[in-house]
Coordinates of all heavy atoms in Angstrom, one line a residue:
M26 N 124.4 45.2 62.7 CA 123.0 45.8 62.7 C 123.1 47.2 62.2 O 123.9 48.0 62.6 CB 122.4 45.8 64.1 CG 122.1 44.4 64.7 SD 121.3 44.6 66.3 CE 122.2 43.3 67.1
A27 N 122.3 47.5 61.2 CA 122.3 48.8 60.6 C 121.2 49.6 61.2 O 120.0 49.3 61.2 CB 122.0 48.6 59.1
I28 N 121.6 50.8 61.8 CA 120.6 51.7 62.4 C 120.5 52.8 61.4 O 121.4 53.4 60.8 CB 121.2 52.3 63.7 CG1 121.5 51.1 64.7 CG2 120.2 53.3 64.3 CD1 120.3 50.3 65.1
R29 N 119.2 53.2 61.1 CA 118.9 54.3 60.2 C 117.7 55.1 60.7 O 116.8 54.5 61.3 CB 118.8 53.8 58.8 CG 117.5 53.0 58.5 CD 117.5 52.5 57.1 NE 116.4 51.5 56.9 CZ 115.2 51.8 56.7 NH1 114.8 53.0 56.5 NH2 114.3 50.8 56.6
V30 N 117.7 56.4 60.4 CA 116.6 57.2 60.8 C 116.1 57.8 59.5 O 116.8 58.3 58.6 CB 117.1 58.4 61.7 CG1 115.9 59.3 62.0 CG2 117.6 57.8 63.0
T31 N 114.8 57.8 59.4 CA 114.1 58.4 58.2 C 113.0 59.4 58.6 O 112.5 59.3 59.7 CB 113.4 57.3 57.3 OG1 112.4 56.6 58.1 CG2 114.4 56.2 56.8
D32 N 112.8 60.3 57.8 CA 111.7 61.3 58.0 C 110.5 60.8 57.2 O 110.4 60.9 56.0 CB 112.1 62.7 57.5 CG 111.1 63.7 57.8 OD1 110.0 63.4 58.4 OD2 111.3 64.9 57.4
N33 N 109.5 60.3 58.0 CA 108.2 59.8 57.4 C 107.3 61.0 57.4 O 106.5 61.2 58.3 CB 107.7 58.6 58.2 CG 106.3 58.2 57.7 OD1 105.7 58.8 56.8 ND2 105.9 57.1 58.2
Q34 N 107.4 61.8 56.3 CA 106.6 63.1 56.3 C 105.1 62.8 56.2 O 104.4 63.6 56.8 CB 107.1 63.9 55.1 CG 108.5 64.4 55.3 CD 109.0 65.3 54.1 OE1 108.2 65.5 53.1 NE2 110.2 65.7 54.1
D35 N 104.7 61.7 55.6 CA 103.3 61.4 55.5 C 102.8 61.1 56.9 O 101.6 61.4 57.2 CB 103.0 60.2 54.6 CG 103.2 60.6 53.1 OD1 103.2 61.8 52.8 OD2 103.5 59.7 52.3
G36 N 103.6 60.5 57.8 CA 103.2 60.1 59.1 C 103.6 61.2 60.2 O 103.3 61.0 61.3
S37 N 104.2 62.3 59.7 CA 104.7 63.4 60.6 C 105.5 62.9 61.7 O 105.3 63.2 62.9 CB 103.5 64.2 61.1 OG 102.8 64.8 60.1
R38 N 106.5 62.0 61.4 CA 107.4 61.5 62.4 C 108.7 61.0 61.8 O 108.8 60.6 60.7 CB 106.7 60.4 63.2 CG 106.4 59.2 62.4 CD 105.6 58.2 63.3 NE 105.7 56.8 62.8 CZ 105.3 55.8 63.5 NH1 104.6 56.0 64.6 NH2 105.4 54.6 63.0
F39 N 109.8 61.2 62.6 CA 111.0 60.6 62.3 C 111.0 59.2 62.9 O 110.5 59.0 64.0 CB 112.2 61.4 62.9 CG 112.5 62.7 62.2 CD1 111.8 63.8 62.6 CD2 113.4 62.7 61.1 CE1 112.1 65.0 61.9 CE2 113.6 63.9 60.5 CZ 113.0 65.1 60.9
E40 N 111.5 58.2 62.1 CA 111.5 56.8 62.6 C 112.9 56.3 62.6 O 113.7 56.6 61.7 CB 110.6 56.0 61.7 CG 109.2 56.4 61.6 CD 108.3 55.8 60.6 OE1 108.9 55.3 59.5 OE2 107.1 55.7 60.7
I41 N 113.2 55.5 63.6 CA 114.5 54.8 63.7 C 114.3 53.3 63.5 O 113.4 52.7 64.1 CB 115.2 55.2 65.0 CG1 116.7 54.7 64.9 CG2 114.5 54.7 66.2 CD1 117.6 55.3 66.0
F42 N 115.1 52.7 62.7 CA 115.1 51.3 62.3 C 116.4 50.6 62.7 O 117.4 51.2 62.6 CB 114.9 51.1 60.8 CG 113.5 51.6 60.4 CD1 113.3 52.9 60.0 CD2 112.5 50.7 60.2 CE1 112.1 53.3 59.5 CE2 111.2 51.1 59.8 CZ 111.0 52.4 59.4
D43 N 116.2 49.4 63.2 CA 117.3 48.5 63.5 C 117.2 47.4 62.4 O 116.3 46.7 62.4 CB 117.3 47.9 64.8 CG 118.5 47.0 65.2 OD1 119.2 46.7 64.2 OD2 118.6 46.7 66.3
D44 N 118.1 47.5 61.4 CA 117.9 46.7 60.2 C 116.6 47.1 59.6 O 116.5 48.3 59.3 CB 118.0 45.2 60.4 CG 119.4 44.8 60.7 OD1 120.4 45.3 60.1 OD2 119.6 43.8 61.6
E45 N 115.7 46.3 59.4 CA 114.4 46.7 58.8 C 113.3 46.8 59.8 O 112.1 47.0 59.4 CB 114.0 45.7 57.7 CG 115.0 45.8 56.5 CD 115.1 47.2 55.9 OE1 114.1 47.9 55.7 OE2 116.2 47.7 55.7
K46 N 113.6 46.6 61.1 CA 112.5 46.6 62.1 C 112.4 48.0 62.8 O 113.4 48.6 63.2 CB 112.9 45.6 63.2 CG 111.7 45.3 64.1 CD 111.9 44.0 64.9 CE 110.7 43.7 65.7 NZ 110.9 42.6 66.6
L47 N 111.2 48.5 62.8 CA 110.9 49.8 63.4 C 111.2 49.7 64.9 O 110.6 48.9 65.6 CB 109.5 50.3 63.2 CG 109.1 51.6 63.8 CD1 109.8 52.8 63.2 CD2 107.5 51.8 63.6
A48 N 112.1 50.6 65.4 CA 112.5 50.5 66.8 C 111.9 51.7 67.6 O 111.8 51.6 68.8 CB 114.0 50.6 66.9
G49 N 111.5 52.8 66.9 CA 110.9 53.9 67.6 C 110.7 55.1 66.7 O 110.9 55.0 65.5
F50 N 110.1 56.1 67.3 CA 109.8 57.3 66.5 C 109.7 58.5 67.3 O 109.5 58.4 68.6 CB 108.4 57.1 65.7 CG 107.3 56.8 66.6 CD1 106.5 57.9 67.2 CD2 106.9 55.5 67.0 CE1 105.5 57.7 68.0 CE2 105.9 55.3 67.9 CZ 105.2 56.4 68.4
T51 N 109.7 59.7 66.7 CA 109.4 60.9 67.4 C 108.4 61.7 66.5 O 108.7 61.9 65.3 CB 110.6 61.8 67.7 OG1 110.2 62.9 68.5 CG2 111.4 62.2 66.5
E52 N 107.2 62.0 67.0 CA 106.2 62.7 66.2 C 106.4 64.2 66.2 O 106.9 64.7 67.2 CB 104.8 62.4 66.9 CG 104.3 61.0 66.7 CD 103.0 60.8 67.4 OE1 102.9 60.9 68.6 OE2 102.0 60.5 66.6
Y53 N 106.1 64.8 65.1 CA 106.2 66.2 65.1 C 105.0 66.8 64.3 O 104.3 66.1 63.6 CB 107.5 66.6 64.4 CG 107.6 66.2 62.9 CD1 107.0 66.9 61.9 CD2 108.4 65.1 62.6 CE1 107.2 66.5 60.6 CE2 108.5 64.7 61.3 CZ 107.9 65.4 60.3 OH 108.1 65.0 59.0
H54 N 104.8 68.1 64.5 CA 103.9 68.9 63.7 C 104.7 70.0 63.1 O 105.5 70.7 63.8 CB 102.7 69.5 64.5 CG 101.8 68.5 65.0 ND1 101.0 67.7 64.2 CD2 101.6 68.0 66.3 CE1 100.3 66.9 65.0 NE2 100.7 67.0 66.3
R55 N 104.6 70.2 61.8 CA 105.3 71.3 61.1 C 104.3 72.4 60.8 O 103.3 72.2 60.2 CB 106.0 70.8 59.8 CG 106.8 71.8 59.2 CD 107.6 71.3 58.1 NE 108.3 72.4 57.5 CZ 109.3 72.3 56.6 NH1 109.7 71.1 56.2 NH2 109.9 73.3 56.1
Y56 N 104.7 73.6 61.2 CA 104.0 74.8 61.0 C 104.9 75.8 60.3 O 105.7 76.4 61.0 CB 103.5 75.4 62.3 CG 102.6 74.5 63.1 CD1 103.2 73.9 64.2 CD2 101.3 74.3 62.8 CE1 102.5 73.0 65.0 CE2 100.6 73.4 63.6 CZ 101.1 72.8 64.7 OH 100.4 71.9 65.5
G57 N 104.8 75.9 59.0 CA 105.7 76.8 58.3 C 107.2 76.5 58.5 O 107.7 75.4 58.1
T58 N 107.9 77.4 59.2 CA 109.3 77.2 59.5 C 109.6 76.6 60.9 O 110.7 76.7 61.3 CB 110.1 78.5 59.2 OG1 109.6 79.5 60.2 CG2 110.0 79.0 57.8
E59 N 108.6 76.1 61.5 CA 108.7 75.6 62.9 C 108.4 74.1 62.9 O 107.5 73.6 62.2 CB 107.8 76.3 63.9 CG 108.2 77.7 64.1 CD 107.3 78.4 65.2 OE1 106.1 77.9 65.4 OE2 107.7 79.3 65.8
L60 N 109.2 73.3 63.6 CA 109.0 71.9 63.8 C 108.7 71.7 65.3 O 109.6 71.9 66.1 CB 110.2 71.2 63.3 CG 110.1 69.7 63.0 CD1 109.0 69.5 61.9 CD2 111.4 69.1 62.6
A61 N 107.5 71.3 65.6 CA 107.1 71.1 67.0 C 107.2 69.6 67.3 O 106.4 68.8 66.7 CB 105.7 71.6 67.3
F62 N 108.1 69.2 68.2 CA 108.2 67.8 68.6 C 107.2 67.5 69.7 O 107.2 68.2 70.7 CB 109.6 67.4 69.0 CG 110.6 67.3 67.8 CD1 111.3 68.4 67.5 CD2 110.6 66.2 67.0 CE1 112.2 68.4 66.4 CE2 111.5 66.1 65.9 CZ 112.2 67.2 65.6
I63 N 106.4 66.5 69.5 CA 105.2 66.2 70.4 C 105.5 65.0 71.3 O 105.1 65.0 72.5 CB 103.9 66.0 69.5 CG1 103.7 67.1 68.6 CG2 102.7 65.7 70.4 CD1 103.6 68.5 69.2
H64 N 106.0 63.9 70.7 CA 106.1 62.7 71.5 C 107.2 61.8 70.9 O 107.3 61.7 69.7 CB 104.7 61.9 71.4 CG 104.7 60.6 72.1 ND1 104.7 60.5 73.5 CD2 104.6 59.4 71.6 CE1 104.6 59.2 73.8 NE2 104.6 58.5 72.7
T65 N 107.9 61.1 71.7 CA 108.9 60.1 71.3 C 108.7 58.8 72.0 O 108.4 58.8 73.2 CB 110.3 60.7 71.6 OG1 110.5 62.0 71.0 CG2 111.4 59.7 71.2
E66 N 108.9 57.7 71.3 CA 108.8 56.4 71.8 C 109.9 55.5 71.2 O 110.1 55.5 70.0 CB 107.5 55.7 71.5 CG 106.3 56.1 72.3 CD 105.1 55.3 72.0 OE1 105.2 54.1 71.7 OE2 104.0 55.9 72.0
I67 N 110.5 54.7 72.1 CA 111.4 53.6 71.6 C 110.7 52.3 72.1 O 110.4 52.2 73.3 CB 112.8 53.7 72.2 CG1 113.4 55.0 71.7 CG2 113.6 52.5 71.9 CD1 113.7 55.1 70.2
D68 N 110.6 51.3 71.3 CA 110.0 50.0 71.6 C 110.9 49.4 72.7 O 112.1 49.4 72.6 CB 110.0 49.1 70.4 CG 109.3 47.8 70.6 OD1 109.6 47.1 71.6 OD2 108.4 47.4 69.8
P69 N 110.3 48.9 73.8 CA 111.0 48.3 74.9 C 112.0 47.3 74.5 O 113.1 47.1 75.1 CB 110.0 47.7 75.8 CG 108.7 48.5 75.5 CD 108.8 48.9 74.1
E70 N 111.7 46.6 73.4 CA 112.6 45.6 72.9 C 114.0 46.2 72.5 O 115.0 45.5 72.5 CB 112.0 44.9 71.6 CG 112.9 43.9 70.9 CD 112.2 43.4 69.6 OE1 111.0 43.5 69.5 OE2 112.9 42.8 68.8
F71 N 114.0 47.5 72.2 CA 115.2 48.1 71.7 C 115.8 49.1 72.8 O 116.7 49.8 72.5 CB 115.0 48.9 70.4 CG 114.6 48.0 69.3 CD1 113.2 47.8 69.0 CD2 115.5 47.4 68.5 CE1 112.8 47.0 68.0 CE2 115.1 46.6 67.5 CZ 113.8 46.4 67.2
G72 N 115.2 49.0 74.0 CA 115.6 50.0 75.1 C 117.1 49.7 75.5 O 117.6 48.7 75.4
G73 N 117.7 50.8 76.1 CA 119.0 50.7 76.6 C 120.1 50.7 75.7 O 121.3 50.4 76.0
R74 N 119.9 51.0 74.4 CA 120.9 50.9 73.4 C 121.2 52.3 72.8 O 122.0 52.4 71.8 CB 120.4 50.0 72.2 CG 120.3 48.6 72.7 CD 119.8 47.6 71.7 NE 120.3 47.9 70.3 CZ 119.7 47.5 69.2 NH1 118.6 46.8 69.3 NH2 120.2 47.7 68.1
G75 N 120.7 53.3 73.4 CA 121.0 54.7 72.9 C 120.2 55.1 71.7 O 120.6 56.1 71.1
L76 N 119.2 54.3 71.3 CA 118.5 54.6 70.0 C 117.7 55.9 70.1 O 117.6 56.7 69.2 CB 117.6 53.5 69.6 CG 118.4 52.2 69.2 CD1 117.4 51.1 68.8 CD2 119.4 52.4 68.2
G77 N 117.2 56.2 71.3 CA 116.4 57.5 71.5 C 117.3 58.7 71.3 O 116.9 59.6 70.6
G78 N 118.5 58.6 71.8 CA 119.5 59.7 71.5 C 119.9 59.9 70.1 O 119.9 61.0 69.5
K79 N 120.1 58.7 69.4 CA 120.4 58.8 68.0 C 119.2 59.3 67.2 O 119.4 60.1 66.2 CB 120.7 57.4 67.4 CG 122.0 56.9 68.0 CD 122.3 55.5 67.5 CE 123.6 55.0 68.2 NZ 123.9 53.6 67.9
L80 N 118.0 59.0 67.6 CA 116.8 59.5 66.9 C 116.7 61.0 67.1 O 116.5 61.7 66.2 CB 115.6 58.7 67.5 CG 114.2 59.2 67.0 CD1 114.1 59.1 65.5 CD2 113.1 58.4 67.7
A81 N 116.9 61.4 68.4 CA 116.8 62.9 68.7 C 117.8 63.6 67.9 O 117.5 64.7 67.2 CB 116.9 63.1 70.2
Q82 N 119.0 63.2 67.9 CA 120.1 63.9 67.2 C 119.8 64.0 65.7 O 120.0 65.0 65.1 CB 121.4 63.3 67.4 CG 122.6 64.1 66.8 CD 123.9 63.5 67.1 OE1 124.1 62.5 67.7 NE2 125.0 64.3 66.8
S83 N 119.4 62.9 65.1 CA 119.1 62.9 63.7 C 118.0 63.8 63.3 O 118.0 64.5 62.3 CB 118.8 61.4 63.2 OG 119.9 60.6 63.3
A84 N 116.9 63.8 64.1 CA 115.7 64.7 63.9 C 116.1 66.1 64.0 O 115.8 67.0 63.2 CB 114.6 64.3 64.8
L85 N 116.9 66.4 65.0 CA 117.4 67.8 65.2 C 118.4 68.3 64.2 O 118.3 69.4 63.7 CB 117.9 68.0 66.6 CG 116.9 67.8 67.8 CD1 117.6 67.8 69.1 CD2 115.9 69.0 67.7
D86 N 119.2 67.4 63.7 CA 120.1 67.7 62.6 C 119.3 68.0 61.4 O 119.7 68.9 60.6 CB 121.1 66.5 62.4 CG 122.2 66.5 63.5 OD1 122.4 67.5 64.2 OD2 122.9 65.4 63.5
A87 N 118.3 67.2 61.1 CA 117.5 67.4 59.9 C 116.8 68.8 60.0 O 116.7 69.6 59.0 CB 116.4 66.3 59.8
A88 N 116.3 69.2 61.2 CA 115.7 70.5 61.4 C 116.7 71.6 61.1 O 116.4 72.6 60.4 CB 115.1 70.6 62.8
R89 N 117.9 71.4 61.6 CA 119.0 72.4 61.4 C 119.3 72.5 59.9 O 119.4 73.6 59.4 CB 120.2 72.0 62.2 CG 121.4 72.9 62.0 CD 122.6 72.5 62.8 NE 122.4 73.1 64.2 CZ 122.9 72.5 65.3 NH1 123.6 71.4 65.2 NH2 122.7 73.1 66.5
E90 N 119.4 71.4 59.2 CA 119.8 71.4 57.8 C 118.7 72.1 57.0 O 119.0 72.8 56.0 CB 119.9 70.0 57.3 CG 121.2 69.3 57.8 CD 121.2 67.8 57.5 OE1 120.4 67.3 56.7 OE2 122.1 67.1 58.0
Q91 N 117.4 72.0 57.4 CA 116.3 72.7 56.7 C 116.1 74.1 57.2 O 115.2 74.7 56.7 CB 115.1 71.8 56.9 CG 115.2 70.4 56.3 CD 114.0 69.6 56.6 OE1 112.8 70.1 56.5 NE2 114.2 68.4 57.0
G92 N 116.8 74.6 58.2 CA 116.6 75.9 58.7 C 115.4 76.1 59.5 O 114.8 77.2 59.5
L93 N 114.9 75.0 60.1 CA 113.6 75.1 60.9 C 113.9 75.4 62.3 O 114.9 74.9 62.9 CB 112.9 73.7 60.8 CG 112.5 73.3 59.4 CD1 112.0 71.9 59.4 CD2 111.5 74.3 58.8
A94 N 113.0 76.1 62.9 CA 113.0 76.4 64.4 C 112.4 75.2 65.0 O 111.5 74.6 64.5 CB 112.2 77.6 64.7
V95 N 112.9 74.8 66.2 CA 112.4 73.6 67.0 C 111.6 74.1 68.2 O 112.1 74.9 69.0 CB 113.6 72.7 67.4 CG1 113.1 71.7 68.3 CG2 114.2 72.1 66.1
L96 N 110.5 73.5 68.4 CA 109.7 73.7 69.6 C 109.6 72.3 70.3 O 108.8 71.4 69.9 CB 108.3 74.2 69.3 CG 108.2 75.5 68.5 CD1 106.8 75.9 68.2 CD2 108.9 76.6 69.3
P97 N 110.4 72.1 71.4 CA 110.5 70.8 72.0 C 109.4 70.5 73.1 O 109.7 70.5 74.3 CB 111.9 70.8 72.6 CG 112.1 72.2 73.0 CD 111.4 73.0 71.9
Y98 N 108.2 70.3 72.7 CA 107.1 70.0 73.6 C 107.3 68.6 74.2 O 106.9 68.4 75.3 CB 105.7 70.1 72.9 CG 105.3 71.4 72.5 CD1 105.4 71.9 71.2 CD2 104.8 72.4 73.5 CE1 105.1 73.1 70.8 CE2 104.5 73.6 73.1 CZ 104.6 74.0 71.8 OH 104.2 75.3 71.4
C99 N 107.9 67.7 73.4 CA 108.2 66.4 73.9 C 109.3 66.4 75.0 O 110.4 67.0 74.8 CB 108.7 65.5 72.7 SG 109.4 63.9 73.2
P100 N 109.0 65.8 76.2 CA 110.0 65.9 77.3 C 111.3 65.2 76.9 O 112.4 65.6 77.4 CB 109.3 65.1 78.4 CG 107.8 65.2 78.1 CD 107.7 65.2 76.6
F101 N 111.3 64.2 76.1 CA 112.5 63.5 75.7 C 113.4 64.4 74.9 O 114.6 64.5 75.1 CB 112.2 62.1 75.0 CG 113.5 61.4 74.7 CD1 114.1 60.6 75.7 CD2 114.1 61.5 73.5 CE1 115.3 59.9 75.4 CE2 115.3 60.9 73.2 CZ 115.9 60.1 74.2
I102 N 112.8 65.0 73.8 CA 113.5 65.9 73.0 C 114.1 67.1 73.8 O 115.2 67.5 73.6 CB 112.7 66.3 71.8 CG1 112.3 65.1 70.9 CG2 113.4 67.4 70.9 CD1 113.4 64.4 70.1
R103 N 113.2 67.6 74.6 CA 113.6 68.8 75.4 C 114.8 68.4 76.3 O 115.8 69.1 76.5 CB 112.4 69.3 76.3 CG 112.7 70.5 77.0 CD 111.4 71.1 77.6 NE 110.7 70.2 78.4 CZ 109.5 69.7 78.1 NH1 108.9 70.1 76.9 NH2 108.8 68.9 78.9
G104 N 114.7 67.2 77.0 CA 115.8 66.7 77.8 C 117.1 66.5 77.0 O 118.2 66.8 77.5
W105 N 117.0 66.0 75.8 CA 118.1 65.7 75.0 C 118.8 67.1 74.7 O 120.0 67.2 74.7 CB 117.8 65.0 73.7 CG 119.0 64.3 73.1 CD1 119.5 63.1 73.3 CD2 119.8 65.0 72.1 NE1 120.6 62.9 72.5 CE2 120.8 64.1 71.8 CE3 119.8 66.2 71.5 CZ2 121.8 64.3 70.8 CZ3 120.8 66.5 70.5 CH2 121.8 65.5 70.2
I106 N 118.0 68.1 74.3 CA 118.6 69.4 74.0 C 119.3 69.9 75.3 O 120.4 70.5 75.2 CB 117.5 70.3 73.5 CG1 117.0 69.9 72.1 CG2 118.0 71.8 73.5 CD1 115.8 70.7 71.6
T107 N 118.7 69.7 76.4 CA 119.3 70.2 77.7 C 120.7 69.6 77.9 O 121.6 70.3 78.3 CB 118.4 69.9 78.9 OG1 117.1 70.6 78.7 CG2 119.0 70.4 80.2
K108 N 120.8 68.3 77.6 CA 122.1 67.6 77.7 C 123.1 68.0 76.6 O 124.3 67.7 76.7 CB 121.9 66.1 77.7 CG 121.2 65.7 79.0 CD 120.9 64.2 78.9 CE 120.0 63.7 80.1 NZ 119.6 62.4 80.0
H109 N 122.6 68.5 75.5 CA 123.4 68.9 74.3 C 123.1 70.4 74.0 O 122.4 70.7 73.0 CB 123.1 68.0 73.2 CG 123.4 66.5 73.5 ND1 122.4 65.7 74.1 CD2 124.5 65.8 73.4 CE1 122.9 64.5 74.2 NE2 124.2 64.5 73.8
P110 N 123.7 71.3 74.8 CA 123.3 72.7 74.7 C 123.6 73.4 73.3 O 123.0 74.4 73.0 CB 124.0 73.4 75.8 CG 125.0 72.4 76.3 CD 124.6 71.1 75.9
D111 N 124.5 72.7 72.5 CA 124.7 73.3 71.2 C 123.5 73.2 70.3 O 123.5 73.8 69.2 CB 126.0 72.6 70.6 CG 125.9 71.1 70.6 OD1 125.6 70.5 71.6 OD2 126.3 70.5 69.6
Y112 N 122.5 72.4 70.7 CA 121.3 72.3 69.9 C 120.2 73.3 70.4 O 119.2 73.5 69.8 CB 120.7 70.9 70.0 CG 121.5 69.9 69.1 CD1 122.6 69.3 69.5 CD2 121.0 69.7 67.8 CE1 123.3 68.5 68.7 CE2 121.7 68.8 67.0 CZ 122.9 68.2 67.4 OH 123.6 67.4 66.6
A113 N 120.4 74.0 71.5 CA 119.5 74.9 72.1 C 119.2 76.1 71.1 O 118.1 76.7 71.1 CB 119.9 75.5 73.4
E114 N 120.2 76.4 70.2 CA 120.1 77.5 69.3 C 118.9 77.2 68.3 O 118.5 78.1 67.6 CB 121.4 77.7 68.5 CG 121.7 76.6 67.6 CD 123.1 76.8 67.0 OE1 124.0 77.4 67.6 OE2 123.3 76.2 65.9
L115 N 118.5 76.0 68.2 CA 117.4 75.6 67.3 C 116.1 76.1 67.8 O 115.1 76.3 67.0 CB 117.3 74.1 67.0 CG 118.5 73.5 66.3 CD1 118.4 72.0 66.3 CD2 118.7 74.0 64.9
V116 N 116.0 76.3 69.1 CA 114.8 76.8 69.7 C 114.8 78.3 69.7 O 115.8 78.9 70.1 CB 114.7 76.3 71.2 CG1 113.4 76.8 71.9 CG2 114.7 74.8 71.2
P117 N 113.8 79.0 69.2 CA 113.8 80.4 69.1 C 114.1 81.0 70.5 O 113.6 80.6 71.5 CB 112.4 80.8 68.6 CG 111.9 79.6 67.9 CD 112.5 78.4 68.7
A118 N 115.0 82.1 70.5 CA 115.4 82.7 71.7 C 114.2 83.1 72.6 O 114.3 82.9 73.8 CB 116.3 83.9 71.4
G119 N 113.2 83.6 72.0 CA 112.0 84.0 72.8 C 111.2 82.9 73.4 O 110.3 83.1 74.2
Q120 N 111.5 81.6 73.0 CA 110.8 80.4 73.4 C 111.6 79.6 74.4 O 111.1 78.7 75.0 CB 110.4 79.5 72.2 CG 109.5 80.2 71.2 CD 108.1 80.2 71.8 OE1 107.6 79.5 72.6 NE2 107.3 81.2 71.2
R121 N 112.9 79.9 74.6 CA 113.7 79.0 75.4 C 113.3 79.0 76.8 O 113.3 77.9 77.4 CB 115.2 79.5 75.2 CG 115.7 79.2 73.9 CD 117.2 79.6 73.7 NE 117.5 79.6 72.3 CZ 118.4 80.3 71.7 NH1 119.1 81.2 72.4 NH2 118.6 80.3 70.4
D122 N 112.9 80.1 77.4 CA 112.5 80.1 78.8 C 111.3 79.2 79.0 O 111.1 78.5 80.0 CB 112.2 81.5 79.3 CG 113.4 82.3 79.6 OD1 114.5 81.7 79.8 OD2 113.3 83.6 79.8
R123 N 110.4 79.3 78.0 CA 109.2 78.5 78.1 C 109.5 77.0 78.2 O 108.8 76.2 78.9 CB 108.4 78.7 76.8 CG 107.2 77.9 76.6 CD 106.6 78.2 75.2 NE 105.3 77.6 75.1 CZ 104.6 77.6 74.0 NH1 105.0 78.3 72.9 NH2 103.4 77.0 73.9
F124 N 110.6 76.6 77.6 CA 111.0 75.2 77.6 C 112.1 74.9 78.6 O 112.6 73.8 78.6 CB 111.4 74.7 76.2 CG 110.3 74.7 75.2 CD1 110.2 75.7 74.2 CD2 109.2 73.8 75.3 CE1 109.2 75.7 73.3 CE2 108.2 73.9 74.4 CZ 108.1 74.8 73.4
G125 N 112.4 75.8 79.4 CA 113.5 75.7 80.4 C 114.9 75.5 79.8 O 115.7 74.8 80.4
L126 N 115.1 76.2 78.7 CA 116.4 76.0 78.0 C 117.2 77.4 78.2 O 116.7 78.4 78.2 CB 116.3 75.7 76.6 CG 115.5 74.4 76.3 CD1 115.2 74.2 74.8 CD2 116.3 73.2 76.8

């Protein structure tokens, strides 16, 4: 099974696919140099396989590559950053307390 993550800029979301089937997404709003993550969903059919984590990491890696600051309003993305503190640097220092990071 081929897992891939794409940035659907027209839909303002990163999407994760298992082969050609959409397994989940994380919605974002981009404001200049900030990427605000709003909501993440994994289809229950694909649950328990770590796809949410792969999606979060890919989306955050893309933000890092583009030099974007991350605002993790989405509880899933915020929780993933909490478990992977090397990604906390993506959240502006002045915003980390706001997100509990």
Side-chain angles (χ1 to χ4, degrees):
M26 290 183 222
I28 303 298
R29 66 183 170 89
V30 175
T31 62
D32 182 1
N33 177 349
Q34 293 180 4
D35 290 338
S37 296
R38 65 190 204 168
F39 287 89
E40 299 171 334
I41 189 164
F42 292 86
D43 183 345
D44 287 325
E45 293 305 311
K46 194 164 183 184
L47 179 65
F50 60 88
T51 185
E52 291 180 294
Y53 64 81
H54 293 291
R55 185 170 176 169
Y56 304 101
T58 60
E59 293 182 335
L60 199 59
F62 287 95
I63 307 303
H64 179 71
T65 301
E66 277 186 39
I67 297 294
D68 186 308
E70 175 183 344
F71 297 94
R74 296 178 36 204
L76 296 180
K79 290 176 184 174
L80 175 60
Q82 183 173 10
S83 293
L85 293 169
D86 285 345
R89 179 177 277 151
E90 289 169 10
Q91 296 174 47
L93 300 174
V95 169
L96 302 175
Y98 293 102
C99 169
F101 183 84
I102 297 293
R103 187 170 52 250
W105 196 89
I106 292 172
T107 300
K108 292 177 187 172
H109 301 87
D111 50 317
Y112 284 84
E114 68 186 28
L115 296 174
V116 180
Q120 298 284 335
R121 291 181 194 151
D122 283 346
R123 173 185 190 183
F124 294 109
L126 302 171

